[in-house]
Amino acid sequence: MDQDGINFLLTNRIPRRLLTRLMGWFGRIENPLIRDLSIAVWVCFSDLDLSEAKKSSFSSLHDCFIRELKDGVRPIDETPSIVISPCDGIVGASGSIAEGSLLQVKGSEYALCELVNDRRLADRYRNGRYVTLRLTSSMYHRFHAPYDCRVERVMHIWGDTWNVNPPTLRRVKKLFCRNERAVIEATMPSGHELVLVPVAAILVAGIKLGFLDVALRGDDHGIRVFRCDANFVKGQEMGWFEHGSTIVMLAPGDFDICDNVREGEIVRMGQPLLRLPDCSR
């Protein structure tokens, strides 16, 4: 069996939801020995870099996972025509939505209507643009407003906790439509609309949105819709994952994808992601 196959088996052919709950409990243990040993192991097996973190010590492993960054380490592109990346992430796929279909990986498509579970949204973006950003476990896990915007509706969709790494994406069809996720609808001052879909994964105990009074957790079965009235400026924090995962960004078809957005490349929060229509390059 090749390395990808072994990775897939080790991270998926296990009780995924049980392990996720256990990790959520373990990560919050505020014991200095457990905390320090856990972070040390994490550093050994990843490219974790805590030099950008706002604080130098953490109360628990979970506290380290959801760390904030020092002010100014993620400059925000303030160009009016630019929609920024909401998070640090590796570009998994991007391009035009072809009659309601998006690429998970090359050769594997999924339906927009299954991702957002909303025919109205699916019809609105059926020929739009999309960018998929994958957060690794060592990355900064918070996500931010891609532009000045207002959020009035969030849908939380219960689901599985498959790993979202490349070996799994190549083997599990429609993975993003099967995992737990949130659908965040954002309206820009111009009237243009964007949708952010944070997708949870194994070891993710939940998705936290700072503008809602409740945590979105995988134990909440079914579909829940939250009405809100939250205003953001470009780059303002919206929420965070409890571990690494994925954000699928949707935009209308007259938006352009910026030149720096290429498959396999890292895009940092605040860097260009999309360009508004009728703006020159």
Side-chain angles (χ1 to χ4, degrees):
M1 182 179 295
D2 62 14
Q3 186 173 349
D4 275 8
I6 294 172
N7 183 297
F8 175 76
L9 289 175
L10 290 177
T11 59
N12 291 288
R13 296 309 186 193
I14 53 177
R16 294 184 296 274
R17 191 159 292 284
L18 174 60
L19 185 59
T20 296
R21 286 197 294 268
L22 287 174
M23 188 62 189
W25 165 79
F26 178 82
R28 288 173 169 79
I29 296 176
E30 296 186 359
N31 177 287
L33 180 60
I34 292 176
R35 174 202 61 204
D36 293 345
L37 181 59
S38 299
I39 293 176
V41 170
W42 188 13
V43 170
C44 286
F45 288 93
S46 74
D47 56 353
L48 177 65
D49 178 7
L50 299 178
S51 65
E52 296 178 327
K54 181 173 286 188
K55 56 187 182 181
S56 58
S57 61
F58 305 95
S59 61
S60 65
L61 182 62
H62 174 262
D63 190 32
C64 185
F65 277 151
I66 65 169
R67 63 193 179 277
E68 296 179 90
L69 299 184
K70 296 174 184 175
D71 295 338
V73 299
R74 292 291 183 273
I76 306 301
D77 190 320
E78 299 290 356
T79 307
S81 62
I82 292 297
V83 174
I84 63 169
S85 175
C87 63
D88 288 5
I90 301 170
V91 179
S94 65
S96 298
I97 301 171
E99 294 297 321
S101 292
L102 299 78
L103 276 180
Q104 180 168 287
V105 291
K106 289 180 180 177
S108 179
E109 296 183 347
Y110 64 96
L112 178 59
C113 62
E114 293 185 55
L115 177 71
V116 299
N117 199 59
D118 186 322
R119 176 60 64 182
R120 170 186 58 89
L121 278 182
D123 288 344
R124 184 179 300 167
Y125 293 94
R126 64 179 289 106
N127 293 304
R129 305 283 191 184
Y130 76 100
V131 180
T132 302
L133 298 166
R134 180 174 64 87
L135 291 73
T136 66
S137 63
S138 60
M139 283 181 171
Y140 170 60
H141 301 141
R142 295 178 181 247
F143 50 92
H144 299 247
Y147 204 89
D148 297 350
C149 62
R150 182 180 185 183
V151 175
E152 296 181 280
R153 185 176 186 269
V154 175
M155 181 190 300
H156 177 244
I157 304 170
W158 180 86
D160 208 328
T161 55
W162 290 96
N163 199 329
V164 293
N165 63 5
T168 310
L169 291 173
R170 288 192 287 269
R171 288 168 170 79
V172 179
K173 294 184 181 299
K174 302 182 180 180
L175 188 153
F176 298 142
C177 305
R178 300 169 68 170
N179 272 15
E180 177 195 349
R181 58 201 181 277
V183 180
I184 305 170
E185 301 177 46
T187 303
M188 301 163 63
S190 61
H192 293 104
E193 297 180 339
L194 301 168
V195 173
L196 287 79
V197 185
V199 181
I202 191 167
L203 305 184
V204 180
I207 301 167
K208 175 64 178 176
L209 299 178
F211 55 95
L212 292 182
D213 294 331
V214 297
L216 308 181
R217 297 196 175 277
D219 292 335
D220 300 316
H221 287 232
I223 297 172
R224 297 184 296 165
V225 175
F226 301 91
R227 298 291 178 178
C228 53
D229 187 7
N231 292 284
F232 298 91
V233 296
K234 184 191 283 190
Q236 184 178 350
E237 182 183 300
M238 301 182 83
W240 62 84
F241 291 107
E242 309 281 73
H243 199 47
S245 195
T246 296
I247 291 181
V248 181
M249 183 96 157
L250 307 175
D254 51 357
F255 279 56
D256 289 324
I257 295 174
C258 293
D259 295 337
N260 62 302
V261 179
R262 296 183 294 271
E263 183 179 345
E265 295 291 324
I266 294 177
V267 178
R268 302 292 183 189
M269 193 284 290
Q271 292 181 337
L273 193 75
L274 298 163
R275 184 176 291 103
L276 274 68
D278 303 322
C279 294
S280 64
R281 293 179 182 274

